[in-house]
Amino acid sequence: MIQFVLLISRQGKVRLTKWYSPYTQKERSKVIRELSGVILTRGPKLCNFVEWRGLKVVYKRYASLYFCMCIDQDDNELEVLEIIHHFVEILDRYFGSVCELDLIFNFHKAYYVLDEILIAGELQESSKKTVARLIAAQDSLVETAKEQASSISNIIAQATK
Amino acid sequence: MNSFFSGTRLRDMIRAIRACKTAAEERAVVRKECAAIRTSINENDHDYRHRNLAKLMFIHMLGYPTHFGQMECLKLIASAGFPEKRIGYLGLMLLLDERQEVLMLVTNSLKQDLNHSNQYIVGLALCALGNICSAEMARDLAPEVERLLQFRDPNIRKKAALCSIRIIRKVPDLAENFINPAAALLKEKHHGVLITGIQLCTDLCKVSPEALEFLRKKHTEGLVRTLKDVVNSPYTPEYDIAGIADPFLHVRLLKLLRALGQGDADSSDAMNDILAQVATKTESNKNAGNAILYECVETIMSIEDNGGLRVLAINILGRFLSNRDNNIRYVALNMLMKAITVDAQAVQRHRATILECVKDSDASIRKRALELVYLLVNETNVKPLTKELIDYLEVSDQDFKGDLTAKICSIVEKFSPEKIWYIDQMLKVLAEAGNFVKDEVWHALIVVISNASDLHGYTVRALYKAFKTSSEQESLVRVAVWCIGEYGDMLMNNVGMLGIEDSVTVTDSDIVDVVEIAIKHHASDLTTKAMALIALLKLSSRFPSCSERIKDIIVHHKGSLVLELQQRSLEFNSIIDKHQNIRSTLVERMPILDEATFTTRRAGSLPAAVSTSGGASLNLPNGAVKPSTSLLVDLLDLSDDVPAAPSSSGGDFLQDLLGVDLSPAPTQSGTNQVQKAGTDVLLDLLSIGAHPVQSSSSTTDILSPIQNEKSPIATLDALLPSSSLSAQATSAKAAPMMDLLDGFSPSPSKPEDNGSVYPPLVAFESSSLRITFNLSKQPGNPQITIVLATFTNLTPNVFTDFIFQAAVPKFLQLHLDPASSNILPASGNGSITQNLRVTNNQHGKKSIVMRTRISYKINNKDTLEEAQINNFPRDL
């Protein structure tokens, strides 16, 4: 099971956190501080796994961002690397060659994408196409709702004139 | 609509925060935003709720408190529109976790949304439930989720499956409701549903043996077929990763098959072929393929034995191990650890490669490899492996040294073929990484050294040399100081030279130099300095010519701010000054420390034993230490880390173990042991008594010194009853030291006549032996009963090595004084007497019971008698 997902920039700034096991706010900041200390200082040629408090953290760097997933001792590290890559590819498709800034200004969208890939710390969907389709459908729901709202307010505005 | 609130847009806020140059600036911006959001919340502003929550999530991610926004999430979730609900659920998952009470308030909204007509809203609710639900919510909403497992849209089914996983992890009792709907998912074609369904089944197998049995019987074949289909499926762009169709599905199928095959020969048999196919056909040039191979190997290792498959698996691991990709090597090491239980021989073949991995530049790989090496060590390869590891210790990273040292020490202790090798290796480790060595490791080393009497000279010379080069390693210094104190004379005279040694010429002042360096070194801590003082005292007697110099060093510490050092230096100084005549007796070499007792104590499994023997002191290994001196040694050593100070009088041994004492001193480790010992303490207590001589001769207090350090007074106190007794019994030799005790002296432990008197009680009588108890009470202390036990021999033969042991339940405390003798003359022509003091913590509620064991020799033949004594008067 994936215990939590972290996206950390090379400067140690947190870009996304998702906790599937309960950690208090205090523990969360401690975990982030500890792990960014360990992961950001590791050299480029080393393996992508770090053992940490009886768990394992699988991380991979994409441009300036480190994608980290913390898993149980007996989970498949190599597969988790694939899950990270899966997530990155879907983000890439969704934002159109994603960069760190996309994730900063549209952080909520990154969360929506993640929620279509993982639930309860387990993989939900292996098809990128399906994920993309589901997100697009929900985004369009939001758009229609917005339009409706604005049109209704227009109507009201006009009616009250 | 609120006209006078015009907050910034989310985008603008993020920009403003990013523009901050310092943390203080950022805090100011966040504070301002939070204030605006609070105002908006207080005004119950609908239009900006959405935006406020988005901002709060960003602020939350930066690590600022955002609890005031939690209720906003609930309000958004409760509103009708999809956009509000979407952001509301996101906020709920980010800002709250399952332990917050607020979460309970959302249960109702969740329930409604799970039944919503819009499937995307159902999806949102499932996602939130799956990510943060608590046990109570799981119980409340399980029926809804169970129903959704059969929902028409596959995307809801897969979410419901993962949500069910969360539910059964939180409430395993609910598992049985999910077995059938979960099994139905295994037949799905939609990969998302299939993957999540398989995952749900795997989790069900973990929590419910019923589910495991059911799936094993009904679905093994179906799963094997599914895996076969996936492995052989033609190219599908939707699921393809590096030429493999859906590696995620592969991995999950293999995982579930593993759960089914474990411990079941039939289902293991059913999956053999497909596992062989996966193991041989999967491409291993990309990570995805390796992930599958890795999972496949684990499954092969876990299911029931099939020789051929295992060979295949081990070969794959061998290939992994020689891979240039660090990730692959890491997982290979990881898997070899599991393989070692299956086929140790095959893993041994890779020993050289694994050993290389210990020296890798990657900390993760090093750590894995070290643990693997640790498992690989056995009697035959311990020497070369240890040598490699110790050689590497010299060049390893500082932060790896701790782990490495611990493992080496553990290997050496576990497998050492002979003492000299053990001592050599430990000295190397101490010299190289003494600061990383744990206390119990060097304590153990000292016990071993003490037991290897033929190696004393060799060891002390080796330590002397090591000290010259590595005096910065604290634990090396301690061991060296201890050994020099004990065996310093051997150092000078080259006693017990082994063939392999070069002789060294060391003068007595060189030796004192070493100890002086240790005591004066700025990095030496209290323990080391205290040990050094003892060593100096001992040396002063061994090297009379250096006596004056040693005295100077000791006197130097008279003004120490640390009470412990000050006290030692004052006392030692007076010994050197005023008690020349007894000094040499005082500081005799330590009797050999008992290894067996040390090991049991170290393992923490020492049952509290009560054993005493009038003659125990005569049976001491070197027979040199008389009660009076040992007492003094005890005093001198009282807060010392040296596992030393065997006390030959049974009295203080008892005190140590059982905490039988007037003062409720918190120092006695034995008391805790008793409490842990469970119900049948009595049996436990006696089980160790089989070696009474051994244990009483080695009442070394290895564990308690640390505690003692905190309260030297308590220790002094603890020593008292026996000391007052032996002081009365022995000559004036001990008298000077008694001054120290005067202040604390309790009432003498001899029976007082003015207490209430009870008729004598025949506690035990057999054909050979009678025990009579004379009971009395001390006035004003109804809890305490003084028992004078009288042993009478009923046979015509003399009993020798007579030992009486007793044990009591937890509510009693027992103190045994030394017996009057250990020889019991024949035919009642004399008797042994022994004082017992029983403290009844439940006086008035429970009466005294006692279990006893008496061992003695008749014509050198061991005899053992046991009895439970429960005929004590009720009101004791």
Side-chain angles (χ1 to χ4, degrees), chain A residues 65-123:
Chain A
L65 269 187
Y66 285 86
F67 287 70
C68 317
M69 291 190 180
C70 178
I71 54 170
D72 293 336
Q73 221 18 276
D74 50 356
D75 282 335
N76 187 330
E77 299 91 344
L78 298 178
E79 194 216 5
V80 176
L81 272 180
E82 283 303 318
I83 295 181
I84 291 177
H85 191 69
H86 187 61
F87 179 37
V88 173
E89 280 196 296
I90 293 172
L91 285 175
D92 201 48
R93 232 179 253 199
Y94 180 70
F95 287 105
S97 99
V98 66
C99 68
E100 197 181 332
L101 279 180
D102 290 327
L103 298 184
I104 295 171
F105 285 102
N106 295 300
F107 69 93
H108 50 292
K109 293 188 175 166
Y111 279 109
Y112 293 143
V113 172
L114 186 61
D115 281 342
E116 288 298 328
I117 299 173
L118 297 176
I119 289 181
E122 300 291 350
L123 183 71

